[in-house]
Amino acid sequence: MLAQQRQSRIAERVHRTGAVRVAELVEEFGVSDMTIRRDLETLAERGLVAKVHGGATAVDFGSTSEPGFAVKQVRQEAEKEAIAEAAAGLVGPGQAIALSAGTTTWTLAHRLTDVPDLTVVTNSVPVADVFYKSGRPDQTVILTGGVRTPSDALVGPFAVASLERVNVDTVFLGVHGMSARAGFTTPNLLEAETVATLAEKGRRLVVVADHTKFDVVGIATIAALSDADVVVTDARLDEEARSTLTEHVDQVVFASPPAK
């Protein structure tokens, strides 16, 4: 197969599934790891895919672009693991917490399956599934109803109604973007109301977001930067962004991914 044909098929697959891994493509096409990486580099230069560690994802376009869960799952994996580990230290036995939808909160959920007597409220199907699969009998998981979005969030009037009487100790919020001007944002208008309602239901609001989310602006604002009590991000955030966050947020945690 010619390189151009292979690259065309790779681009089609990324467009169809949202994300691919190098290892999968090596097995599928029977070529070397280096060959696939060169293919992805070529496609990225042409703007057809976005390269990520270990593979590629579909390209995002603008403030209303909402990548699917599988796309976001393979982005900044090391940073999300570090953020999740730091955020998990804010949760203790017997607490009630809420987790919004997102791959960072999903990563955090895996760190919380051993916390005893935990009550979890979430509008995320994958997050709820993490706790359901752990099978811990002393944990209670409450999944809101609602309309399912591309990022596997449940949103809309049913979701909002189910959250109106909920009160928790801490809300962990994953976001599409954060900036001084727009605050914490989402590319989904319907999701904004649901997540804004969720954000108000805790005594403490913790935003978990890696460095790539800074200065990204979705179409709808969830909350102002100053509404967050804590922001847990990663150590790759640049100095200007750090200054902006520390100016608006009482506590900012910079988590360091393990050295490779």
Side-chain angles (χ1 to χ4, degrees), residues 177-185 213-218 221 223-225 244-245 248:
M178 53 183 174
S179 74
R181 177 181 64 84
F184 302 108
T185 60
K213 303 296 180 66
F214 197 81
D215 269 348
V216 173
V217 178
T221 294
L225 291 187
T244 299
L245 281 180
H248 290 85

Side-chain angles (χ1 to χ4, degrees), residues 183-201:
F184 302 108
T185 60
T186 172
N188 187 307
L189 284 169
L190 197 58
E191 185 172 7
E193 182 183 8
T194 302
V195 181
T197 301
L198 182 66
E200 296 174 349
K201 293 303 178 177

Side-chain angles (χ1 to χ4, degrees), residues 17 21 23 35 57 117 148 166-167 213:
T17 65
R21 293 184 182 273
T35 296
T57 66
D117 299 315
R148 196 167 182 168
V166 168
N167 297 288
K213 303 296 180 66

Side-chain angles (χ1 to χ4, degrees), residues 107-128:
T107 305
L108 171 59
H110 287 82
R111 301 273 182 166
L112 300 177
T113 55
D114 290 332
V115 179
D117 299 315
L118 193 66
T119 298
V120 180
V121 178
T122 185
N123 71 320
S124 166
V125 175
V127 166

Side-chain angles (χ1 to χ4, degrees), residues 129-195:
D129 199 43
V130 170
F131 291 102
Y132 288 143
K133 287 181 177 178
S134 74
R136 191 178 178 105
D138 61 344
Q139 289 186 337
T140 301
V141 181
I142 302 166
L143 180 63
T144 71
V147 178
R148 196 167 182 168
T149 72
S151 59
D152 282 344
L154 298 178
V155 302
F158 286 102
V160 171
S162 68
L163 292 170
E164 285 179 347
R165 297 188 179 184
V166 168
N167 297 288
V168 298
D169 297 301
T170 304
V171 174
F172 290 93
L173 191 68
V175 297
H176 174 76
M178 53 183 174
S179 74
R181 177 181 64 84
F184 302 108
T185 60
T186 172
N188 187 307
L189 284 169
L190 197 58
E191 185 172 7
E193 182 183 8
T194 302
V195 181

